[in-house]
Amino acid sequence: MQEKIIDDKILEKMTLANVYNIFNANIFPMLNEEDIKFCKEIQKFCIELEPKVNTSEDVYEFFSELGKHGFMQRINVWKDYRPFGMKKELLLSINLSILDAELDAARFTSSVLCANALFHYFHHGGKNEKIEKIKDELMSGEKIGSLCITEPERGSDSVNMTTMCTKTDDSIIYNGKKVFTTNGPKADYFVIYGVYDKEKPRETMVQTLIPRELGVKTNRIAISSAPRIHIAQTFLEDVKVPQEFILADNGDGYKRLFEGLVPERLVISANGLGVCWGALIYGMIYTNYRRQFGKDIIKFEGVGFGLADLLSKVTAATALALQVGTIYDEKILFAEKPNKEVSKWTAGVVSQAKYHIARLSHEVCYEVQQQMGGISLTDNTPLDRYSNVSKIEEVIGGARNIQLLIIQNALSKIKKIIE
Ligand SMILES: Cc1cc2nc3c(=O)[nH]c(=O)nc-3n(C[C@H](O)[C@H](O)[C@H](O)COP(=O)(O)OP(=O)(O)OC[C@H]3O[C@@H](n4cnc5c(N)ncnc54)[C@H](O)[C@@H]3O)c2cc1C
């Protein structure tokens, strides 16, 4: 804290433990015993980590601490860490992002956006000891991963990539440029998409794991709303990748791209929910103790009704995300044979959740800051940090209109249901 101006009596109430207590009072009735136990485990970890978190330093030093507790990722089973599944991943992300949403975003980029591609490779029957070892390195937090889809000229239109792959006898040569590579400047491994034929991206897309030492170059770009995460422009100039690093070839890369987007958008939603809950709860605490005109300001309808409106929206959004996570676990992840109808529904509803929650996180931060007044713009409370991260939520994982486009596509298919 550069200069303390907040009242001590309010500051002493604004502990992370109190924040989690309020979160739990709102959320635990929705959860089963296993979920509650898991949340408490994460919260204990976060409360212990909090004194080490310096909000002006990079987030990466905490990856190995997360890894030691199996908290890099919890969608897939890894070592003896239990419980696991999509719902658990959402709970991990919400709780961690209440502590530090930038740390959570860097974490899930490495372990969900990047490492999930390796899990998918094994789910589809891949066998490769080197990739198994890299998966362990990413899950333990010893190494850092990135995902490269977006290009300077291909953002929302990501399928029509310009990054070219050329086959040789024993390798693929990559040429192209990617941009907005989260973790890029720090990454040891990159999951990178390219195509053999720009005219036929769906039929020729390749997904490859590329270790940095094969020649991937990165330059950091400045993103002021997430200053503790390194984000890059990534250059691939005649990068020769041995066959053993190909995860999905000859158009299968296109299928894996979409397989990856569902968990990606769900976990971005969970990060956004952590931002919502963090901002809202710190706001609730402050307005319960801050007095003006002889009253706690929460008692003024202008303040209390505003927070009540936000709480009802955040509770509904949380219920939606957790329900989607539960269905994803039951009918896709843990099912003997994933249900095709549910998979289709999930792809659509995840866009609805991501669209709604990303936008809500920005609304919540902005509105809570207005309800709290000047203090929320200082470093005396974490509000402005949440607010900064909320600015990127709608862009990452596909901008607002792309989520709407996916939802609109489903709407335009209703004729099939009624004809
Ligand atoms: C902080 C940050 C981190 C990121 N991390 C990663 C990462 O790790 N890996 C990665 O691959 N990418 C990453 N991205 C990229 C992100 O996914 C893209 O920025 C996003 O998909 C949008 O692409 P774009 O920025 O090129 O915008 P554009 O595609 O140029 O879109 C600009 C505007 O046009 C609208 N638009 C575009 N097409 C349509 C359409 N058909 N209908 C209606 N409106 C449309 C968009 O909604 C948007 O409003 C990151 C971005 C940011 C900002």
Side-chain angles (χ1 to χ4, degrees):
M1 212 182 279
Q2 196 172 315
E3 179 70 14
K4 192 182 82 58
I5 55 169
I6 192 169
D7 188 323
D8 278 331
K9 281 193 224 83
I10 305 183
L11 189 60
E12 73 193 19
K13 303 288 182 215
M14 289 183 140
T15 62
L16 188 60
N18 279 346
V19 170
Y20 284 135
N21 283 337
I22 297 169
F23 173 76
N24 295 348
N26 282 279
I27 291 303
F28 278 6
M30 277 193 235
L31 303 179
N32 63 35
E33 266 178 43
E34 188 185 68
D35 298 333
I36 291 173
K37 198 164 157 243
F38 183 57
C39 279
K40 286 184 176 165
E41 197 192 317
I42 305 162
Q43 292 171 1
K44 182 170 176 289
F45 168 82
C46 289
I47 289 167
E48 283 166 10
L49 190 67
E50 192 195 18
K52 296 186 212 160
V53 175
N54 181 334
T55 52
S56 48
E57 282 174 11
D58 294 348
V59 296
Y60 298 97
E61 64 172 296
F62 301 119
F63 273 26
S64 55
E65 299 252 343
L66 287 165
K68 268 183 227 150
H69 292 78
F71 288 152
M72 277 305 289
Q73 195 221 81
R74 274 301 171 98
I75 303 173
N76 295 288
V77 64
W78 181 67
K79 294 199 166 162
D80 295 331
Y81 296 105
R82 303 286 188 282
F84 66 97
M86 182 53 80
K87 192 180 185 192
K88 301 300 183 286
E89 173 67 28
L90 299 180
L91 293 171
L92 168 60
S93 180
I94 296 171
N95 279 290
L96 183 60
S97 101
I98 288 176
L99 165 68
D100 186 342
E102 284 177 273
L103 171 60
D104 185 57
R107 170 201 72 86
F108 74 63
T109 301
S110 189
S111 63
V112 178
L113 277 52
C114 177
N116 240 23
L118 314 191
F119 280 103
H120 290 168
Y121 167 80
F122 292 114
H123 288 325
H124 287 282
K127 286 195 177 67
N128 181 328
E129 279 181 19
K130 228 179 225 174
I131 300 214
E132 192 76 58
K133 186 172 163 276
I134 293 171
K135 189 184 83 180
D136 287 347
E137 289 173 345
L138 292 170
M139 291 295 283
S140 66
E142 282 164 48
K143 298 278 163 130
I144 298 171
S146 277
L147 174 73
C148 297
I149 300 174
T150 308
E151 301 175 352
E153 301 301 325
R154 294 292 188 277
S156 301
D157 187 12
S158 58
V159 171
N160 289 302
M161 282 175 189
T162 63
T163 296
M164 287 299 295
C165 296
T166 318
K167 272 191 200 201
T168 70
D169 284 349
D170 57 352
S171 63
I172 295 183
I173 316 273
Y174 263 82
N175 274 292
K177 210 195 267 182
K178 299 285 181 179
V179 75
F180 296 119
T181 312
T182 302
N183 296 343
K186 294 275 179 183
D188 304 286
Y189 299 109
F190 299 78
V191 165
I192 306 190
Y193 291 85
V195 292
Y196 293 122
D197 181 347
K198 280 187 213 172
E199 303 303 315
K200 294 182 186 151
R202 289 169 182 77
E203 293 84 355
T204 68
M205 196 176 289
V206 198
Q207 182 202 48
T208 312
L209 174 71
I210 311 188
R212 176 184 288 277
E213 71 250 22
L214 294 183
V216 182
K217 301 245 164 21
T218 53
N219 287 343
R220 188 175 182 186
I221 50 180
I223 305 255
S224 56
S225 41
R228 295 159 62 232
I229 307 175
H230 289 227
I231 299 170
Q233 171 150 236
T234 302
F235 302 89
L236 302 152
E237 262 176 55
D238 289 328
V239 175
K240 192 172 177 197
V241 189
Q243 287 277 348
E244 59 187 343
F245 291 114
I246 299 175
L247 301 174
D249 205 356
N250 301 322
D252 281 345
Y254 173 74
K255 292 179 198 149
R256 299 283 173 86
L257 181 93
F258 281 86
E259 197 174 343
L261 282 175
V262 168
E264 170 174 344
R265 288 178 178 153
L266 262 178
V267 78
I268 293 171
S269 304
N271 180 273
L273 284 172
V275 167
C276 289
W277 281 110
L280 191 53
I281 294 171
Y282 279 105
M284 287 180 195
I285 298 176
Y286 184 78
T287 54
N288 262 280
Y289 290 93
R290 169 77 170 168
R291 292 178 73 78
Q292 289 293 292
F293 299 94
K295 266 202 219 179
D296 299 333
I297 60 171
I298 189 87
K299 303 263 170 62
F300 296 117
E301 282 185 8
V303 175
F305 279 21
L307 294 180
D309 172 65
L310 296 174
L311 178 62
S312 59
K313 289 176 182 164
V314 174
T315 303
T318 308
L320 169 66
L322 293 177
Q323 182 66 3
V324 176
T326 306
I327 292 167
Y328 184 90
D329 285 339
E330 276 173 19
K331 299 190 177 172
I332 300 173
L333 194 64
F334 301 152
E336 231 165 78
K337 209 168 153 229
N339 182 313
K340 275 196 182 152
E341 279 308 301
V342 176
S343 298
K344 244 196 271 167
W345 173 84
T346 310
V349 83
V350 159
S351 283
Q352 294 178 27
K354 201 263 166 184
Y355 165 73
H356 179 53
I357 293 168
R359 200 165 192 176
L360 182 62
S361 72
H362 188 60
E363 181 192 344
V364 168
C365 291
Y366 180 78
E367 291 299 327
V368 172
Q369 286 193 286
Q370 299 316 306
Q371 309 293 12
M372 287 174 73
I375 201 75
S376 70
L377 279 303
T378 72
D379 65 354
N380 287 202
T381 81
L383 259 293
D384 216 39
R385 279 199 292 123
Y386 290 126
S387 194
N388 275 333
V389 179
S390 79
K391 285 189 226 160
I392 64 171
E393 303 279 356
E394 275 205 281
V395 180
I396 60 175
R400 176 197 303 172
N401 284 354
I402 292 317
Q403 309 310 325
L404 290 175
L405 193 67
I406 294 167
I407 302 164
Q408 183 209 27
N409 279 341
L411 288 182
S412 61
K413 289 192 183 113
I414 57 152
K415 281 184 185 163
K416 278 192 189 156
I417 302 171
I418 55 179
E419 274 174 9

